[in-house]
Amino acid sequence: MNERKYTIRIASEGRALVAIDDFRLAKSAITVLLGESGIGKSLISMAIAGLLDPDDLDVHIDGKPYAAYLRSQEAIDIRRNGFFVFQEPSSHLNPLLTLRAQLREGSLAAAPDEGRILKKLWQGSSSSGVESILDVYPKPYRPSGGEKQRILAAMAFKKMAASAAHTQESLFIFDEPTGNLDNRLRNEFLDLLVENFRNQMTTIVLITHDYSTISRFTNIYPTVSKNILYRELLLEHGKLHLRDFLPGEYLSWLEKRNATTRTGQKTETVLRLQPHVKVFGRTLSISRDTEGQNPEPLLIRKGAVTYLKAPSGVGKTTIVKLMMGLIKPETMSMELGSAVYSEKTNRKVWAQRVWGRQMTMVFQHADEALNQNSKVKDVFDGLPIAVPLNEKIIVKSLSELFEEEPSRDFLNIRIKYLSGGQKQRLNLLRSLILRTDILILDEPLNGLDFASAAKVIAKIEMKLQSGFGVLVISHNEEIFDTLVATANIYYLHSSSSRLTLPDTSKR
Amino acid sequence: MAIRTFTGNSWLDKLTSKKDLLWLTIWIAGLGVLWIWDALFLNAPAFARLQTAFLNSLLTGLMVVLFSLALGWFLGVSLNTLEHSKSKIGFAVLSFVTDILRSIPQIIAVLIGYVVLTILLHNGIIRSSFVQMVWIAGTIAIAVFLEVADTIRQRIDYFRTLDFVDAMLCCGIKERRIINVEILWKNSRSHMLHKLIAIFGISIFLQCSIDFIISVGLSTDVSLINFPMTLGNLLANVDSKQDILALSNLFTEPGYVSVIFTRHLQGLSVAFCIVFSMLCIYMIANGIVRRHKLA
């Protein structure tokens, strides 16, 4: 396979952000770029796509200054014939043009198949059809993140069709294009991606943390598999490098997990949440059936995982925040141990009895949940633990989720300098170290590479053996389904498909 | 990835890249040059008065900063606690009192403090210069500490909009620790330092303004000479005013420039001290904002 090898150095204010000697990009193939968040996948891709500002960052490609690369024919061709789907779609959409106008801007105007692409991307969507948003001027809050991502994906697919004559010179980069999509919509996107690839045989980079992409490609498109390369960006001993990731690594791990029996053994119930919760004028209902016909209380049992599923935006995070007493409901009834918690329960009661004692929760955004200005060792300060943790215990705990035993230097690094994956592991460890009855995990595998995700799953299993009850919210259904008995899977429904949260900035 | 590739290591490179430290150096150097010049050309009693005035103003300014920090922290944290408590009455009452205080112009609040100080001096209740300075600093602090309280509240409110506070609460970390250690100490020191430097500048400015206003005398028995010597006090002195006015001579007699920096030094030195210090303090504050990327 024809490959282009890059040597890339990116620095800012004297600090090296990325330094890699062997970044390889296969031509006329789909490269699925894996690796924990914050390791440099987006930055490297943006550098190759010619999207970095040489005034802001000190960039060298193949030993030459970035300005020289930007003037090269290769970079000009990529910019002219390629497309970059940003992880944060709002940054790419023009708020002064309707989405329809942006879909037909410049070279996209003449591209065919717009209707078919949109129909496919919106197929099975629970929200109203795509037509209702096409005449909207994009705002930070409307359309939703998932809708914006699909609009950008549609632009990319149109651009692919428009650049059909230049497939050898083009590059299409999709940076976490399914981050805001549920599994069904993700699959629609992947199908469209493969279909377009088959037609154009262009060069595609798909950046993702979603390992179930591997299963989808392998199981549904075995004939295209030879043109799909999985590569993982790794930081080893302070050095960044790209390794070939064999799909079998993930698939055999998954198969092994699927082979283990998950009994729906009924252990002691530690938490019972009544099936209807009213908040912000909406009613959230819980059921075991996907349609929500038969609402049932949500139960968390000792030594078992309960899995709460729902499409993005229904209110999964909201309901666990309600269960933690962080949001005040209009009506709610929850039995925890021998006590009943409701909308009348005082915040002080949650602080004295629940937080860090009976229940704890891991938030999905480690960047927000951790103090970026703290040192690694300080993450565990202030926890309600009888004996303060010394450095030896901290190192032992860290080594459970980190590849190498952390050094003393690592303990003194400020969190803001860690990669997204390292932050997420610290975020998890802070809660895992507590001896609570219940552990709530909101997207615990966010930003993790495969090795770390496997370690997290193993750690959760250890916690289950010691009697923890675990509630999980996650888009990684393929992985968590291997951990949960069918009887412990619940579905969340809202009286409206989207929950409007109040403006907390004015609290 | 903690790989550092700094190349410039000289102290000059470091100094010029850190504007706050650069301007602190310029301030100290400028004052040092002035001190040497005054030691050579200013008469001894005026030189002694200038040194006392500078040190007193500096001390008062520092006391204002300390008082403002203590009052601002207390009010900011109290308002935050009351706002999130079950009963909203305490929050409403404290907010109302704060708003009343906010509605009084700073200069009027300080003037009221000076009027009370005059009464105390008049009745012989306060005699020590240091106690007078503490009173003046306390008065100015009451007029300006709301700015510190507002900064503290803004910082706490900002972190409350993130998962930051909730995530720590869920782990059983006490709210007072989250606010005081995690938000204010670890994440707001630069913001607070910037605000306190600005408070220091405001206190110098307010002192000078008030000294000028009351240079006409607050009562038949109490005037500027009863108050501790400060830069504003010295500038409001008739000799200093004449020195400043002497600058206008330059329009009709440009050759006068040769003697102006030796013959009219008291007024010019005080004016230079005030203006130069204000400029440097402003630049130091800006440097801190830039270095720590404060919005």
Side-chain angles (χ1 to χ4, degrees):
Chain A
M1 201 170 282
N2 184 15
E3 284 194 329
R4 162 78 159 95
K5 191 178 160 193
Y6 295 89
T7 301
I8 300 173
R9 299 270 183 282
I10 305 171
S12 170
E13 294 173 358
R15 174 179 288 276
L17 302 175
V18 163
I20 185 163
D21 295 329
D22 63 343
F23 191 82
R24 287 160 287 129
L25 206 54
K27 295 277 177 188
S28 302
I30 298 176
T31 301
V32 180
L33 189 55
L34 305 160
E36 69 178 16
S37 89
I39 204 161
K41 302 186 296 292
S42 301
L43 211 51
I44 289 172
S45 307
M46 286 174 79
I48 293 172
L51 294 176
L52 298 180
D53 185 348
D55 294 333
D56 275 354
L57 294 168
D58 181 15
V59 185
H60 284 79
I61 292 189
D62 299 330
K64 290 179 192 155
Y66 198 47
Y69 174 74
L70 292 179
R71 284 193 301 271
S72 69
Q73 193 56 45
E74 177 189 6
I76 292 168
D77 285 340
I78 289 174
R79 286 205 302 275
R80 185 176 295 153
N81 303 313
F83 200 90
F84 198 108
V85 173
F86 289 89
Q87 190 175 6
E88 176 37 70
S90 294
S91 60
H92 189 79
L93 294 170
N94 182 351
L96 301 175
L97 277 179
T98 63
L99 294 174
R100 193 188 301 275
Q102 291 183 60
L103 266 168
R104 295 170 187 176
E105 220 183 351
S107 60
L108 301 184
D113 272 353
E114 180 185 289
R116 193 184 63 82
I117 292 167
L118 291 174
K119 196 176 163 194
K120 177 84 177 159
L121 286 171
W122 259 259
Q123 200 167 309
S125 169
S126 56
S127 57
S128 53
V130 63
E131 275 300 321
S132 64
I133 61 157
L134 284 182
D135 292 315
V136 162
Y137 291 88
K139 301 276 188 304
Y141 51 86
R142 186 173 183 237
S144 71
E147 285 168 332
K148 285 178 189 163
Q149 273 190 329
R150 280 176 281 166
I151 288 286
L152 273 184
M155 286 183 190
F157 292 133
K158 283 189 74 180
K159 183 76 181 179
M160 262 185 213
S163 309
H166 307 278
T167 50
Q168 289 306 305
E169 301 96 56
S170 59
L171 172 63
F172 290 84
I173 299 175
F174 295 84
D175 190 358
E176 296 280 357
T178 59
N180 292 320
L181 305 183
D182 58 37
N183 289 351
R184 196 161 47 170
L185 291 171
R186 180 203 59 204
N187 290 343
E188 297 293 351
F189 165 80
L190 293 177
D191 293 350
L192 205 50
L193 184 80
V194 172
E195 182 192 318
N196 277 275
F197 173 72
R198 273 178 176 156
N199 293 339
Q200 314 289 343
M201 293 304 282
T202 191
T203 307
I204 294 173
V205 176
L206 175 63
I207 302 171
T208 185
H209 293 116
D210 186 356
Y211 285 84
S212 42
T213 303
I214 299 174
S215 312
R216 183 80 186 170
F217 283 154
T218 311
N219 298 334
I220 309 291
Y221 302 105
T223 53
V224 187
S225 284
K226 65 178 188 305
N227 293 96
I228 301 177
L229 302 167
Y230 300 92
R231 281 174 175 167
E232 191 176 31
L233 212 49
L234 283 176
L235 187 65
E236 279 181 346
H237 310 294
K239 203 164 160 45
L240 199 61
H241 73 95
L242 192 70
R243 78 164 182 117
D244 290 327
F245 183 92
L246 301 173
E249 288 180 48
Y250 170 72
L251 295 173
S252 60
W253 175 81
L254 199 67
E255 202 175 321
K256 220 179 278 173
R257 291 204 51 76
N258 272 322
T260 58
T261 27
R262 299 178 298 282
T263 58
Q265 194 188 349
K266 292 196 175 170
T267 51
E268 185 193 337
T269 301
V270 280
L271 183 143
R272 175 191 297 267
L273 175 69
Q274 291 308 316
H276 299 293
V277 176
K278 214 172 163 193
V279 63
F280 308 140
R282 308 289 168 107
T283 303
L284 299 175
S285 313
I286 298 157
S287 69
R288 283 185 210 260
D289 59 299
T290 51
E291 301 305 316
Q293 299 296 323
N294 303 303
E296 278 185 56
L298 179 130
L299 305 180
I300 301 179
R301 297 176 191 279
K302 261 191 166 180
V305 179
T306 299
Y307 193 177
L308 184 62
K309 294 183 180 183
S312 295
V314 169
K316 298 188 292 293
T317 300
T318 302
I319 205 157
V320 290
K321 281 189 174 179
L322 287 165
M323 291 167 72
M324 287 301 301
L326 298 169
I327 298 175
K328 204 162 177 59
E330 288 160 37
T331 56
M332 180 185 95
S333 179
M334 183 179 85
E335 290 164 43
L336 176 59
S338 55
V340 176
Y341 294 81
S342 71
E343 67 280 3
K344 291 182 185 129
T345 308
N346 192 332
R347 194 175 162 89
K348 266 189 187 168
V349 178
W350 295 94
Q352 285 163 359
R353 293 193 204 156
V354 180
W355 295 337
R357 288 165 181 83
Q358 283 181 289
M359 284 209 278
T360 185
M361 174 177 166
V362 177
F363 283 65
Q364 59 176 316
H365 302 296
D367 268 332
E368 286 190 18
L370 295 174
N371 190 342
Q372 301 296 309
N373 282 318
S374 274
K375 292 174 181 169
V376 168
K377 65 180 179 190
D378 297 338
V379 167
F380 306 97
D381 283 352
L383 295 176
I385 297 172
V387 185
L389 302 177
N390 58 32
E391 281 195 7
K392 205 173 157 189
I393 300 174
I394 293 173
V395 168
K396 191 169 169 251
S397 302
L398 291 175
S399 58
E400 289 173 12
L401 291 189
F402 285 76
E403 301 81 25
E404 304 155 19
E405 185 163 292
S407 64
R408 199 168 280 261
D409 287 345
F410 182 76
L411 295 184
N412 289 311
I413 292 178
R414 288 199 191 278
I415 289 167
K416 62 183 168 191
Y417 297 129
L418 301 180
S419 71
Q422 287 173 321
K423 285 177 192 170
Q424 179 64 2
R425 281 178 271 169
L426 273 179
N427 186 27
L428 285 158
L429 276 173
R430 182 172 63 183
S431 292
L432 288 167
I433 214 161
L434 296 169
R435 294 186 185 280
T436 54
D437 300 328
I438 295 167
L439 175 65
I440 297 179
L441 302 169
D442 190 358
E443 299 293 352
L445 306 184
N446 251 4
L448 297 183
D449 57 11
F450 171 60
S452 302
K455 281 187 175 182
V456 169
I457 296 294
K459 181 77 183 167
I460 293 172
E461 283 179 324
M462 273 171 62
K463 284 287 175 186
L464 292 174
Q465 281 165 12
S466 60
F468 268 59
V470 177
L471 174 64
V472 168
I473 296 170
S474 177
H475 284 112
N476 298 85
E477 290 193 14
E478 192 172 74
I479 294 178
F480 278 101
D481 280 345
T482 67
L483 200 67
V484 187
T486 317
N488 292 342
I489 296 176
Y490 292 84
Y491 297 89
L492 183 69
H493 306 271
S494 168
S495 58
S496 162
S497 62
R498 186 157 299 112
L499 198 67
T500 311
L501 294 174
D503 184 358
T504 49
S505 63
K506 288 178 186 161
R507 273 193 298 183
Chain B
M1 220 182 307
I3 306 164
R4 284 186 174 272
T5 56
F6 283 118
T7 48
N9 281 324
S10 76
W11 64 271
L12 196 62
D13 283 346
K14 283 182 182 167
L15 196 63
T16 48
S17 66
K18 295 173 181 174
K19 298 284 180 205
D20 46 343
L21 292 182
L22 176 69
W23 276 96
L24 182 65
T25 312
I26 291 173
W27 189 28
I28 292 167
L31 291 175
V33 170
L34 178 72
W35 189 84
I36 293 166
W37 188 265
D38 283 348
L40 292 173
F41 299 106
L42 186 62
N43 65 71
F47 186 43
R49 274 201 303 274
L50 181 65
Q51 290 181 83
T52 309
F54 181 76
L55 290 175
N56 283 350
S57 294
L58 206 66
L59 184 62
T60 308
L62 289 174
M63 281 194 285
V64 171
V65 166
L66 281 179
F67 294 160
S68 300
L69 180 61
L71 289 168
W73 172 80
F74 181 74
L75 181 67
V77 172
S78 301
L79 279 170
N80 173 71
T81 309
L82 290 170
E83 190 180 3
H84 293 93
S85 68
K86 201 179 175 189
S87 163
K88 300 289 176 200
I89 297 168
F91 176 69
V93 170
L94 195 57
S95 295
F96 181 71
V97 172
T98 307
D99 288 343
I100 297 264
L101 198 58
R102 203 186 293 277
S103 68
I104 303 169
Q106 289 176 343
I107 196 85
I108 302 293
V110 180
L111 198 57
I112 292 168
Y114 269 73
V115 169
V116 177
L117 179 62
T118 303
I119 294 167
L120 295 173
L121 281 170
H122 192 75
N123 295 330
I125 297 169
I126 288 182
R127 290 177 198 281
S128 148
S129 285
F130 181 73
V131 177
Q132 288 178 43
M133 283 198 294
V134 172
W135 181 277
I136 292 167
T139 304
I140 296 174
I142 287 171
V144 301
F145 84 98
L146 286 176
E147 294 199 23
V148 180
D150 289 344
T151 304
I152 286 174
R153 289 203 68 205
Q154 280 165 13
R155 295 301 294 161
I156 297 172
D157 285 348
Y158 167 71
F159 281 96
R160 277 193 188 278
T161 61
L162 309 176
D163 283 338
F164 189 88
V165 174
D166 285 348
M168 289 194 190
L169 285 175
C170 285
C171 290
I173 298 171
K174 299 273 184 217
E175 194 157 357
R176 62 172 180 272
R177 182 192 161 86
I178 299 171
I179 289 171
N180 291 311
V181 179
E182 306 294 341
I183 297 177
L184 296 180
W185 179 248
K186 290 187 181 171
N187 277 294
S188 307
R189 274 177 295 177
S190 305
H191 297 74
M192 294 304 296
L193 187 62
H194 178 226
K195 181 53 73 181
L196 292 175
I197 288 174
I199 292 279
F200 182 78
I202 292 170
S203 88
I204 302 277
F205 175 76
L206 281 174
Q207 279 180 62
C208 294
S209 306
I210 288 292
D211 284 337
F212 248 79
I213 292 169
I214 62 174
S215 63
V216 291
L218 282 170
S219 80
T220 47
D221 299 321
V222 180
S223 70
L224 271 183
I225 54 164
N226 303 92
F227 292 127
M229 182 63 69
T230 59
L231 288 174
N233 186 313
L234 195 58
L235 189 66
N237 183 290
V238 72
D239 294 340
S240 302
K241 285 176 182 168
Q242 283 176 347
D243 289 339
I244 304 292
L245 287 171
L247 285 172
S248 59
N249 247 5
L250 295 175
F251 291 109
T252 53
E253 211 180 318
Y256 197 63
V257 74
S258 59
V259 291
I260 203 147
F261 294 110
T262 48
R263 221 180 269 173
H264 298 282
L265 258 185
Q266 179 180 301
L268 291 184
S269 298
V270 177
F272 176 79
C273 258
I274 294 169
V275 174
F276 182 65
S277 295
M278 298 290 276
L279 172 74
C280 290
I281 288 166
Y282 172 75
M283 297 306 284
I284 290 168
N286 275 354
I288 289 173
V289 169
R290 203 170 302 168
R291 183 147 68 102
H292 295 277
K293 296 187 171 64
L294 305 180

